[in-house]
Structures are given as C-alpha cells and as structure tokens.
Amino acid sequence: MRPTKPGVVTVTLNAAIDQTLECPGFTTGAVNRVVAETRTPGGKGINVAAFLAGGTRPVTAAGFLGEDTVPLFEALFRERGIQDRCLRLPGSSRVNIKVVDRTNGAVTDLNLPGLRVPEEALDALLETLDALAEENGCFVLSGSVPAGVPANIYATLTERLRAKGALVAVDTSGEPLRHAVAAKPDFVKPNAHELGELVERPLRNPGEVARAARELHAGGIGLVVVSLGADGALFVSDDGAWRALPPPVEVASTVGAGDALVAGVLAARLDGHDLETCARRSTAFAAGKLAKVGPVPPAPERVAELVCAVRMHPLGSA
C-alpha cells in the first residue's frame, strides 16, 4: 500500500459546516439557552485532509463547496497548507448542528440539506480528479452523496482512479458504499452498523463484525477497517486481523473521530508499517482527537502516549 506518487487527495462531495451548541438541560418544546457555540469546516474528506496536513506528503482537498460558506474552508486550507482544488457552486454548504447537553450526557443532531450538484459540475470534478491523478498516488473518497449525484459515484471514481494507478480509500455508507465495494477500492472503513447493512444481517458482537470484515477482504478489498466507537476498531488485511482497544480518554467532541482513524490508517500504511503498527497508531490518533473540537490533530507527544496504552488483540484466522 505504497503508491509511487506521494500526494494525497481527499474528495468531499457534501462538505459541511459543523456547528456545536453547548446547551445544558436541552428540552424540546421549550426555550433553551446556549452557553457556547463553535463552527468548524467539515465533511469527512475535509476532515481527513486537515488531519493529514503537515505530514510528509502534500495534501489536496477536492469536491464541492457552496460559494456562500467558502471563507471558513479557505481559512482552514491556508492554515494547514492544504491545496484547494474544490469547485464552487451557488448557495451554501450544508450545516450539521449538534446540540450538546453535558448535564444529561445527551447529543441531538440536526442535519440541514446540502447543495444540489448539477451534471456539468460533476463532469468538471471528474476532469479535476483526472488531472490530480497525474501527480497524486492516493485518493480518499468519503462522506455522503448530495442531491444530483448518482449513488454509484464512488464506484465510478474508484474504477477511474485505480485505472490511473492510484490507491483508493472509501468511507461512506448505504447505497454509495454498496456500489463502491463492488468496484474493489484498496481500503474501506465502515462502522459496525454500516457493515451490517452491507452484508444484510445484524452484527451483534465483535466476532460477527470480524467475520463480515473478512468477507469484504476476501471479496477483493485489501484493507478493511471497522470502527466500533469507544470499543476501538477491527483491522483485516493480508497481514492478518487485529482488534485495537483505545484507553479511556477525555471527550470534547466525537465529530471527526472516524475521519481521524482513516487519516491515521493511511499515514501509517503509506509509510510502510505492518498491520499491527497501523492499527495501534491510527487508534491512538483517533483517541487523541476526541479531546479536540473540529478537525484538529492531537499533538505528536499525546499520540505517542496513547500508542503505548492501546491494547491489541489478534483475531486469529477463524
């Protein structure tokens, strides 16, 4: 899993502004007082780019942004040294609102609709990615698919980019994931629920999740990582299978934790590390991110501490 071209491109079709509202004792049907508010640029691919930026490889963000909400994204790209190849569309990128009630330990999500992508914009994106494939060896296709974009878009992009010699990672769900898996990307990262939908059966424990992950791998996907939230993640490849369990950590926000896992996996694998090291490092990176709001990577010293605390369990060959 080491492409000859060093650059990494993340593709975000449905970028978002993540708005977090701190609202103690939040109650529906009542007047609620917000004590703090945070807005950060997001969308799964944008988050992955932010986590990878500052490493040894150039990082480019591609996809679609609403013209009305561009400044927040452009500020992130400037701050992190991310090359901006996103296409601008009329309107606003979607807003994802999280109402956090720490008093009761509850989080309420309100996800607004996003942009509608016209056919000519999708054609322009394909041309942009073709050009980027000339100089970049790894593409991350992640997040939901907006209105106007066919559900098989990630499958189309996977086939197109792999034909150009690129390594392709996919992190999505539902029908877009089902189509993408048929195109056999190099790396997929569903969570347990998404994997259960994909294999069309409930996955009630880590053993059943591991069996389903092995099925995906046997079907031609080189690396399958299944996130289990606070219970860690499962990793399956030709190198074997592992479960990584993170230590307990302070949690400021879970938004982007899965994207941090994707970034950690890619960084470790592109550097040539074996599966066990990859699992340990990416799990530590994702755990470290939980203390941050927004796509802010944990400090290297904190990741090093957490690496030592991650518990690793081989899953055997069953």
Side-chain angles (χ1 to χ4, degrees), residues 4-315:
T4 56
K5 301 168 187 173
V8 178
V9 178
T10 70
V11 181
T12 310
L13 303 178
N14 210 6
I17 304 294
D18 290 323
Q19 183 179 26
T20 301
L21 306 178
E22 293 270 358
C23 188
F26 174 74
T27 306
T28 59
V31 175
N32 293 275
R33 184 175 299 278
V34 174
V35 298
E37 184 235 10
T38 305
R39 293 186 184 216
T40 57
K44 296 183 76 62
I46 299 292
N47 290 339
V48 172
F51 289 129
L52 287 173
T56 58
R57 291 175 175 77
V59 177
T60 300
F64 301 115
L65 298 177
E67 291 173 346
D68 298 345
T69 43
V70 158
L72 202 58
F73 293 93
E74 290 180 339
L76 174 71
F77 298 154
R78 284 193 303 271
E79 177 189 333
R80 304 291 176 85
I82 298 167
Q83 184 180 354
D84 177 7
R85 294 295 300 274
C86 294
L87 304 177
R88 275 55 169 169
L89 298 179
S92 300
S93 297
R94 66 196 170 107
V95 177
N96 292 336
I97 302 171
K98 278 194 180 297
V99 183
V100 179
D101 176 7
R102 295 188 188 277
T103 303
N104 297 310
V107 177
T108 302
D109 291 310
L110 302 169
N111 292 347
L112 279 64
L115 297 164
R116 173 171 287 276
V117 178
E119 187 176 346
E120 59 270 21
L122 195 54
D123 291 339
L125 177 65
L126 294 177
E127 292 179 8
T128 298
L129 297 181
D130 283 346
L132 287 170
E134 298 300 319
E135 297 180 359
N136 297 272
C138 179
F139 286 75
V140 183
L141 316 176
S142 57
S144 59
V145 173
V149 177
N152 67 348
I153 182 62
Y154 289 141
T156 300
L157 292 178
T158 295
E159 292 169 352
R160 193 171 179 130
L161 293 166
R162 291 201 75 198
K164 293 179 176 294
L167 181 152
V168 178
V170 173
D171 182 12
T172 188
S173 60
E175 283 304 300
L177 177 61
R178 187 175 302 281
H179 287 292
V181 162
K184 296 180 174 52
D186 299 275
F187 164 34
V188 295
K189 189 216 67 69
N191 61 32
H193 175 72
E194 293 161 351
L195 181 59
E197 286 187 333
L198 187 64
V199 299
E200 299 181 330
R201 64 177 186 268
L203 305 177
R204 292 162 294 215
N205 55 59
E208 293 183 355
V209 174
R211 280 191 287 277
R214 283 193 170 95
E215 290 172 21
L216 274 196
H217 173 60
I221 297 174
L223 174 61
V224 178
V225 177
V226 186
S227 54
L228 304 174
D231 293 326
L234 301 181
F235 299 75
V236 179
S237 79
D238 286 341
D239 298 340
W242 292 86
R243 181 179 180 187
L245 290 147
V249 294
E250 172 194 353
V251 178
S253 173
T254 59
V255 177
D259 307 321
L261 183 65
V262 170
V265 168
L266 284 172
R269 291 298 266 184
L270 292 174
D271 283 343
H273 291 293
D274 62 18
L275 185 65
E276 180 183 1
T277 302
C278 165
R280 186 183 292 277
R281 290 191 176 195
S282 59
T283 300
F285 188 86
K289 178 267 164 275
L290 294 173
K292 310 285 186 178
V293 175
V296 181
E301 311 83 62
R302 178 57 174 157
V303 176
E305 290 175 9
L306 291 169
V307 161
C308 298
V310 172
R311 291 172 290 155
M312 299 296 298
H313 300 283
L315 298 179

